[in-house]
Amino acid sequence: MAFNNASIIIALGGSSEFPSTSSRRRARRRVTSDPCLPERLPTTGVIQREAERLAPRAFMNQMLKNSIEETLDTESVIEPQDIEKPRPRSSSSPRSPSIRSFVRSMVGPRLSRVPSSGWADVQPYEIMKAVEDRDIMFLMEVRDKAFPLLLQSSGGETPLVHAIRTGNKDVAIVLLGAFSKWVNYLEDADIQKTQTQTYLKALRVGLKLAINEGLAKSQNELIASFMQTLIMSEGDKWVYAQASTVSRALKAGTEGKPVQVAGEAVRKFATKEMGKADLIASLEDYIANATADLLMMAAWSNVQQSIIGESMPSYYFARDDRVYKAFIERLHRHKSEIQRSCSRRLKWQIQVLKEVLEGRTVTYRKKVEILSSRLDTGEGI
């Protein structure tokens, strides 16, 4: 630590036989004090209320960011006898210790609601109580270990309806995120199960209610998940019907304007379900992704009319890049047959789809614009 000894040295110099220079120096002006008080800190009650308001949303955002890294069991639909088996998760799971500690520190300690006998004995009214108490951690445990409980009614209301009607919109957003996450990680085999379809129908009701209540406006990044679940709940019927329409447009070439037809099909569905222009605007990226998927499914459907090949599962539709990967894999496997049996126009359309949709450096919206400029006009044919 350094000290300023100038005053001591000057004083000592003034008492010596040498003339002091201090007298020739102008006295330094004394700094006047200007005391102030810091702003009063908010009370503990205010801090607690802010924590309960902000923590669920912060937790939800973190959950969405890490959702792609979480691994789930191959058995996404949990039967009662398996209800105590936890899903494996990576260290970066949104329910990792760091996130768990964050949420608990923000919303305060919660007593465990899990009965000693296990998850099979958790009652629907306990889920409702967790919604009222904004017990996010418990609801996330239910999602992973007893998902059907989030869809069951108690007193004529589901947990999502109860969250909306009691004004706990942050909890409702967390529930919606849990639903969309569950849908996104369903295994291919599980999609075909009757029980899974029943759950999807129940999810559809909840998602439509959320849209009608205007929740989508407060969490725009979930709107695509709403749409994905709504379309998946339609099953094979809607996807294959639209793919069939687009396949006919592809056969008609530029006169059929296949890209325009595909885009209008998805947009019409979105308009029917959402019903609000501002919500549709936030869906443009999803609409572009779905448009591209319809084009690839339609093109492959036309290929199957000339060769024997595996069909494209409808549940791949608009789920990341599943359709693209399946499309490329099938094209590679049947490359020789396609070259030998398919029409010149169809082979050109396939080549355009491969070239334009490859890679992730360009957004789907831009890719669809390029596809439209080529497939709908015949540029480069």
Side-chain angles (χ1 to χ4, degrees):
M1 181 179 294
F3 294 95
N4 186 355
N5 298 319
S7 60
I8 299 175
I9 295 173
I10 291 174
L12 291 175
S15 62
S16 68
E17 59 181 5
F18 298 103
S20 174
T21 58
S22 61
S23 61
R24 297 196 299 269
R25 294 188 177 183
R26 180 177 296 179
R28 180 178 296 176
R29 182 181 177 184
R30 188 182 184 89
V31 178
T32 59
S33 62
D34 187 14
C36 64
L37 294 176
E39 184 179 357
R40 181 182 176 185
L41 293 174
T43 64
T44 303
V46 172
I47 294 174
Q48 180 71 18
R49 285 194 296 274
E50 283 294 294
E52 292 181 353
R53 182 177 69 86
L54 297 175
R57 188 164 296 178
F59 176 70
M60 186 60 209
N61 290 336
Q62 185 65 45
M63 187 180 75
L64 290 173
K65 288 179 182 177
N66 292 340
S67 63
I68 196 128
E69 299 176 12
E70 182 171 357
T71 57
L72 303 178
D73 284 338
T74 55
E75 197 64 31
S76 296
V77 180
I78 306 174
E79 303 292 344
Q81 64 269 22
D82 299 325
I83 211 163
E84 293 186 67
K85 296 180 180 179
R87 300 178 189 272
R89 55 184 182 271
S90 65
S91 60
S92 59
S93 164
R95 292 171 48 255
S96 62
S98 60
I99 302 302
R100 183 192 299 269
S101 301
F102 165 74
V103 174
R104 283 179 174 167
S105 66
M106 292 292 282
V107 301
R110 302 283 189 187
L111 295 176
S112 175
R113 301 177 188 270
V114 184
S116 58
S117 56
W119 289 95
D121 292 332
V122 174
Q123 300 299 313
Y125 76 85
E126 296 179 80
I127 308 298
M128 298 301 194
K129 189 65 168 61
V131 170
E132 294 172 0
D133 293 344
R134 299 182 180 181
D135 195 341
I136 306 301
M137 294 306 303
F138 175 74
L139 293 173
M140 291 299 95
E141 289 287 334
V142 173
R143 181 204 67 183
D144 287 344
K145 298 177 181 178
F147 180 78
L149 290 175
L150 295 180
L151 305 177
Q152 290 184 11
S153 296
S154 178
E157 290 185 346
T158 64
L160 177 60
V161 173
H162 190 58
I164 294 174
R165 291 182 177 171
T166 56
N168 287 336
K169 289 192 174 183
D170 289 328
V171 176
I173 290 170
V174 169
L175 289 173
L176 289 167
F179 294 164
S180 64
K181 186 179 180 65
W182 178 79
V183 169
N184 199 46
Y185 282 94
L186 280 174
E187 296 292 333
D188 295 348
D190 291 329
I191 298 284
Q192 307 299 323
K193 295 181 179 179
T194 302
Q195 190 175 36
T196 303
Q197 291 298 318
T198 300
Y199 291 160
L200 288 171
K201 293 293 184 183
L203 285 178
R204 179 184 177 83
V205 174
L207 291 170
K208 290 193 63 121
L209 175 60
I211 294 167
N212 294 337
E213 291 290 328
L215 266 177
K217 290 183 178 178
S218 61
Q219 197 78 9
N220 286 343
E221 60 264 35
L222 285 179
I223 297 180
S225 296
F226 297 166
M227 277 295 297
Q228 181 188 75
T229 310
L230 289 171
I231 287 180
M232 288 185 69
S233 68
E234 290 285 332
D236 294 346
K237 182 179 178 181
W238 186 88
V239 175
Y240 284 139
Q242 304 311 315
S244 177
T245 300
V246 177
S247 70
R248 291 194 295 271
L250 284 171
K251 289 179 181 178
T254 56
E255 295 180 2
K257 296 191 178 301
V259 181
Q260 180 179 327
V261 170
E264 288 178 351
V266 181
R267 191 174 297 278
K268 182 178 180 180
F269 182 88
T271 303
K272 173 187 171 183
E273 299 297 339
M274 297 296 183
K276 296 181 180 179
D278 54 342
L279 297 184
I280 301 301
S282 64
L283 273 172
E284 292 301 327
D285 288 333
Y286 178 86
I287 290 174
N289 184 357
T291 299
D293 281 3
L294 273 182
L295 288 165
M296 288 184 285
M297 294 180 75
W300 181 249
S301 176
N302 288 344
V303 168
Q304 286 184 290
Q305 295 178 19
S306 300
I307 70 170
I308 299 175
E310 183 182 3
S311 297
M312 192 84 70
S314 64
Y315 45 84
Y316 280 8
F317 180 76
R319 298 181 71 191
D320 302 321
D321 57 353
R322 294 194 186 196
V323 170
Y324 176 77
K325 290 180 178 178
F327 183 62
I328 296 301
E329 187 275 330
R330 284 163 173 74
L331 292 179
H332 179 75
R333 188 193 310 168
H334 300 281
K335 182 178 180 180
S336 299
E337 299 166 78
I338 292 173
Q339 288 297 323
R340 182 172 60 252
S341 304
C342 292
S343 67
R344 178 174 175 270
R345 171 183 286 166
L346 179 55
K347 287 187 286 189
W348 172 76
Q349 291 170 337
I350 290 172
Q351 186 60 34
V352 170
L353 288 171
K354 287 175 57 180
E355 291 176 359
V356 176
L357 296 177
E358 183 181 13
R360 297 189 177 185
T361 57
V362 179
T363 65
Y364 268 104
R365 294 170 71 173
K366 184 62 177 176
K367 288 177 179 179
V368 169
E369 290 178 9
I370 297 172
L371 287 175
S372 180
S373 68
R374 299 185 64 179
L375 294 180
D376 287 357
T377 64
E379 177 186 328
I381 190 170

